[in-house]
Amino acid sequence: IGVGNIVPFVDVAIQSIDAPPVIIKGDNAEIIVSVTCNGDINQKLNITLSSDEKLLGSKVISAPANGSLDKVRFMITPDQTGKMEYRLKVNAIADEVNILNNRQNFSIQVLKDIYRIAIITGVPNFNCFNLGAAIVGQVLRSQPEPAK
């Protein structure tokens, strides 16, 4: 005697998040989200990326085939330093078994883009000249050219 329902359970889940652990302030970072679906889902899914209750991105996808994986990409550019907390969320659908796996939090450490460097030496020598020239050259190359 069989017991139970013959209709497969319905579940949408964020399977994994691929994000860099550390980035430089002002640089672009790619976030790749893997979403899985189980059951017969004939709906569009809305995936949102937010930080501090501020919406950073939203993508709408068709639900992938039963048990398959769908990858969604987001690009972010942090404008402040420190540990940035992000939240990914997929909308819940009717008759879903588990809605707790529809959201995940992750963090990225954002480093400063400019550091001040001091070189202290007892007696200047040939190596100090080369190191100083390399640092000054790097700083000059990173400065924007004046408008003409």
Side-chain angles (χ1 to χ4, degrees), residues 31-132:
I31 313 296
I32 302 173
V33 184
S34 299
V35 179
T36 59
C37 292
N38 290 313
D40 189 24
I41 303 170
N42 294 324
Q43 294 182 14
K44 299 280 187 186
L45 300 176
N46 186 21
I47 302 159
T48 58
L49 174 66
S50 59
S51 176
D52 296 329
E53 303 303 323
K54 178 181 172 188
L55 183 65
L56 300 176
S58 178
K59 303 262 174 113
V60 177
I61 62 168
S62 297
N66 189 12
S68 67
L69 203 64
D70 200 3
K71 294 188 182 276
V72 180
R73 299 174 189 274
F74 291 97
M75 289 295 282
I76 59 169
T77 307
D79 57 354
Q80 52 186 309
T81 59
K83 186 176 182 180
M84 301 298 297
E85 298 288 338
Y86 296 99
R87 171 177 279 192
L88 274 161
K89 191 164 85 170
V90 179
N91 62 308
I93 56 175
D95 299 327
E96 190 169 354
V97 175
N98 181 7
I99 62 170
L100 296 178
N101 58 11
N102 289 18
R103 64 180 70 209
Q104 281 192 25
N105 297 332
F106 67 99
S107 63
I108 297 177
Q109 184 68 36
V110 181
L111 303 177
K112 292 190 323 184
D113 53 349
I114 298 176
Y115 288 91
R116 296 186 183 268
I117 299 173
I119 300 173
I120 301 171
T121 182
V123 178
N125 60 30
F126 183 73
N127 293 332
C128 293
F129 173 76
N130 291 334
L131 183 60

